[in-house]
């Protein structure tokens, strides 16, 4: 079985899928689309990454991909065996994908960080696609975050809200190694992935907020360690 993951690991959703495949101990290759047009060809339904080919079968959307991965490789499970705990893990994954993502995106798109974000995003495209991307991405970022709503908030509020949500994560994790469980699940991968993007460079305020919460840093390290061990054991 060949697993091909299309996307760049700068995207939290691609990172989430990459970590999940690592956790399953499966080999895979990452193929970075060189332009938005290429992404559209790979995924005509949503034009978004990640896209995964399991041999010749193609899947899109990180949540659907993780579900398919779980069906094909049930061990180790990515959800708790108890239905209450699994429900909490699914909800946390969804909150990370649909809400925490926008907290990070609004800070990536804000006036003081937009140039660094554009530089980062355009940098993974083919050289010929970069000038157009640099012209288009700032407007796209602003339009998306304004449409969602967070992009209309003042910078100070965005930073404060980000800190409060990180505090919530610290409380949810409490004394456990992983969210709601002693084993990593889709919830841990989703939290890890959003924090990974938040710590990738263009949002220094996110890096500072996370670095002041050692429980979250330790959680990130634990996720990396279990993924590394699972990959090394295959
Ligand atoms: N719900 C989707 C979200 C995927 C998504 O938003 N991907 C972004 C990158 S972070 C993307 O491909 N954006 C390209 C675009 O909107 O044109 C998932 O979980 O896979």
């Amino acid at each position: 079985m060949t697993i091909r993951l299309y996307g760049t690991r700068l995207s939290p959703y691609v990172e989430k899928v990459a970590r999940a495949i690592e956790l399953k101990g499966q080999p895979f290759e990452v193929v970075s689309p060189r332009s938005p047009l290429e992404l559209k060809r790979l995924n005509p339904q949503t034009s978004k990454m990640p896209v995964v080919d399991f041999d010749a079968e193609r899947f899109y959307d990180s949540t659907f991909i993780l579900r398919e991965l779980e069906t094909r490789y049930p061990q180790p499970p990515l959800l708790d065996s108890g239905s209450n705990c699994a429900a909490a893990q699914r909800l946390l994954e969804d909150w990370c994908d649909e809400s925490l993502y926008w907290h990070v995106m609004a800070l990536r798109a804000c006036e003081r960080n937009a140039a660094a974000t554009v530089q980062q995003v355009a940098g993974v495209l083919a050289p010929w696609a970069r000038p157009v991307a640099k012209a288009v991405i700032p407007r796209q970022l602003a339009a998306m975050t304004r449409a969602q709503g967070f992009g209309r908030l003042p910078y100070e509020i965005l930073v404060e809200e980000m800190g409060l949500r990180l505090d919530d994560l610290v409380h949810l994790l409490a004394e456990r190694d992983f969210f709601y469980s002693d084993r990593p699940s889709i919830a841990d991968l989703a939290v890890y992935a959003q924090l990974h993007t938040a710590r990738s460079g263009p949002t220094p305020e996110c890096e500072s907020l996370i670095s002041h919460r050692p429980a979250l840093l330790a959680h990130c390290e634990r996720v990396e360690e279990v993924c590394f061990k699972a990959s090394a054991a295959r």
Side-chain angles (χ1 to χ4, degrees), residues 56-223:
E57 261 195 288
R58 180 159 292 174
F59 296 83
Y60 61 84
D61 194 288
S62 63
T63 299
F64 306 154
I65 294 168
L66 261 53
R67 231 176 266 162
E68 182 62 27
L69 189 68
E70 191 75 340
T71 306
R72 288 173 187 253
Y73 307 98
Q75 296 303 326
L78 290 178
L79 280 168
D80 196 82
S81 55
S83 49
N84 288 359
C85 183
Q89 291 169 335
R90 274 192 296 269
L91 281 177
L92 184 54
E93 184 212 19
D94 194 55
W95 176 78
C96 289
D97 289 2
E98 306 303 335
S99 184
L100 183 57
Y101 172 73
W102 290 106
H103 285 272
V104 180
M105 277 298 279
L107 282 164
R108 282 170 68 79
C110 76
E111 221 176 300
R112 67 176 78 189
N113 295 337
T117 302
V118 171
Q119 196 67 24
Q120 186 194 47
V121 174
V124 298
L125 300 175
W128 59 264
R130 284 179 204 159
V132 181
K134 282 182 181 169
V136 171
I137 295 170
R139 263 177 284 144
Q140 269 182 349
L141 277 175
M144 280 195 309
T145 53
R146 280 189 69 76
Q148 186 273 340
F150 288 168
R152 302 170 195 220
L153 297 174
Y155 174 77
E156 292 70 25
I157 292 186
L158 291 176
V159 175
E160 192 185 341
E161 287 300 313
M162 182 76 193
L164 292 172
R165 297 293 78 77
L166 294 177
D167 286 341
D168 289 340
L169 286 175
V170 172
H171 288 122
L172 269 188
L173 187 59
E175 300 303 317
R176 285 191 185 275
D177 278 354
F178 299 101
F179 285 95
Y180 312 109
S181 170
D182 300 322
R183 306 167 59 127
S185 74
I186 57 172
D188 300 279
L189 300 176
V191 171
Y192 173 85
Q194 296 299 335
L195 299 189
H196 181 262
T197 300
R199 293 200 290 158
S200 69
T203 50
E205 53 292 277
C206 289
E207 295 189 31
S208 164
L209 289 167
I210 296 166
S211 72
H212 284 93
R213 288 160 178 82
L216 294 183
L217 285 179
H219 174 263
C220 289
E221 280 167 19
R222 273 195 294 279
V223 170

